[in-house]
Amino acid sequence: MTTITLVRGDITRQQVDAVVNAANSSLLGGGGVDGAIHRAGGPEILAECRALRASHWGKGLPTGQAVATTAGRMPARWVIHTVGPVWSATEDRSGLLASCHRESLRVADELGARTVAFPAISTGVYRWPLDDAARIAMEAVRTTDTAVTEVRFVLFGEDAYTAFAAQQR
C-alpha cells in the first residue's frame, strides 16, 4: 500500500529516492520546477538528459511519458522526468496528466525507488487548474499498482497545498 503525504516546500531538498521533474519535452531544463531541479542537481542532470536526447529521445520526451536520470547534487538518488500536458479548455487532456503519474511510478519501480516526491505537474506555466490537477494526480497515484511505499506531493504554495489536501480521504 502506498502512503500519500503532502508537504509545502522545495522539491529539490526532499530526502527521497526519486524526485519527479515537471520537465519540458526537450529535457534540457526550463523554468519553474524544471529549472529548479536542473540548478539544484547541477550539470550531471543536464549531461544525462543530453545523452537521452542523443539516443532514444532524439525528438524529445513525449507528453505523458517518463524517463530517469541521476539527481546530481540533490539529496535524492534519481530524477524522473515527465512531460505534463498544457491545459486546454477545448480538449480533454486529463488522460495525459494521469499518465505522467502512472509512468513516473512505473519508472520508479524499474529503479527500485520506494519513496517518490511529485510536484503539482502542469499547474504552473501549463495552466492546469489546481483543483482538477490535484484530483487527477491523487486518483492516478491511488489506482496505480506500484512497489513505491510513499508518494510525497511537494507543493510550493498554499493554494496548491489546499487543493491537494481537499483530495485526501
Side-chain angles (χ1 to χ4, degrees), residues 73-157:
R73 300 174 187 155
M74 290 190 299
R77 186 167 175 190
W78 299 288
V79 173
I80 299 171
H81 306 267
T82 190
V83 180
V86 174
W87 185 78
S88 170
T90 59
E91 179 185 346
D92 181 8
R93 299 177 180 165
S94 57
L96 288 169
L97 184 55
S99 179
C100 289
H101 296 85
R102 286 191 306 269
E103 286 296 304
S104 293
L105 291 171
R106 180 189 59 76
V107 171
D109 285 344
E110 289 176 359
L111 295 168
R114 295 297 171 254
T115 55
V116 179
F118 279 88
I121 297 169
S122 287
T123 63
V125 70
Y126 289 1
R127 302 180 320 276
W128 205 287
L130 272 170
D131 292 338
D132 195 44
R135 178 187 60 77
I136 292 165
M138 296 286 268
E139 183 65 20
V141 168
R142 282 189 191 110
T143 59
T144 299
D145 185 23
T146 180
V148 170
T149 57
E150 181 194 5
V151 166
R152 184 180 308 170
F153 284 100
V154 182
L155 306 158
F156 189 71

Side-chain angles (χ1 to χ4, degrees), residues 21-24 26 28-39 124-126:
N21 181 18
N24 63 52
S26 77
L28 302 179
V33 170
D34 194 17
I37 285 174
H38 276 268
R39 283 189 301 278
V125 70
Y126 289 1

